[in-house]
Amino acid sequence: MTDLSGKTALVTGSVQGIGLAIARALAGAGARIAVNGLAGDVQIHEVCEILRADGAPQAEFFHGDLRNPDDIERMMQAVAAWGGPDILVNNAGIQHTAPLAEMPRAQWDAILSVNLSAAFHTMRAAMPGMAARGYGRVVNIASVHGLVASKDKAPYVAAKFGLVGLSRVAALEYADKGSRASGGVTVNCLCPGWTETAIIEPQIAARAALHGGDRDMGIADLLAEKQPSRRTSDPAEIGALALWLCDPVAHNLTGAAIPIDGGWTAQ
Ligand code: NAD
């Protein structure tokens, strides 16, 4: 059983979806959770309550719109004053699908900001403290689209490939920090395939429309095209792997981009 008592984790975009599932896994191991994401007061309150019930000694919301580097800097200062982070999960992400020539310029800027640049800003602020403490975990939620491309996703694929590259650089720079006993400082990407959250709903709806609005047929269609297992992932499964990466036993697993994709990238 991984014990994260005494550790503080910042999970961006943890008000729903994969981020919430990761936050719940870390909370279950006793970590304090710094929650972030775009949500109203009621949702934020509910999420913090869930995390405390799961086992987090403290769960607090930290405002930060990840499109804005000044906002991120303020958020990182507030989290540092709260005591952390020992664990940084860059999970927040957005998507917009369109052919390259029709992709709105504003979507390119927003997707690159949230899915890539935000991770640079949070890691830049958090990693020196991890090195000083001899323990740190950066878990970046990339995607199969950090490893292979699909059409109509130019900014998303560019950002996720960039996130994999950024993570490898940081893994090298911090590889010799800490010790086996302290757990070291590692940086890895998780690369999910189709996972049932809000971000893929527009793509499910587009496929369902080809099958008379049948949602299950829409999902089956998406899976048949790319994901050989023909099963979606549950966000909790991504959370379980993120938790394992945070255990000191994973001190030598760094610089990796780990697919959780039912065989998508094995093809
Ligand atoms: P989601 O839409 O449910 O969650 C996205 C999260 O990002 C939300 O909590 C939202 O509040 C947050 N967010 C968006 N813009 C933000 C901003 N400007 N500032 C702060 N927070 C912001 O989707 P999800 O599937 O849980 O996505 C989580 C991550 O997983 C993303 O990086 C996504 O690219 C990645 N991913 C998802 C899938 C999938 O199939 N669901 C597959 C591969 C990768």
Side-chain angles (χ1 to χ4, degrees), residues 19-29 33 50-51 54:
L20 176 56
I22 293 173
R24 293 193 68 173
L26 301 180
I33 309 292
I50 288 169
L51 294 172
D54 283 338

Side-chain angles (χ1 to χ4, degrees), residues 13 16 18 38 65-66 91-92 141-142 156 160 192-193 195 197 199-200:
Q16 64 184 60
I18 293 172
L38 301 182
D65 184 329
L66 302 180
N91 161 80
I141 308 307
Y156 189 84
K160 296 296 190 181
T195 307
T197 70
I199 204 171
I200 66 169

Side-chain angles (χ1 to χ4, degrees), residues 19 32 43 116 156 165 168 171 240:
R32 301 163 77 226
Q43 192 181 347
L116 176 58
Y156 189 84
R168 287 184 178 157

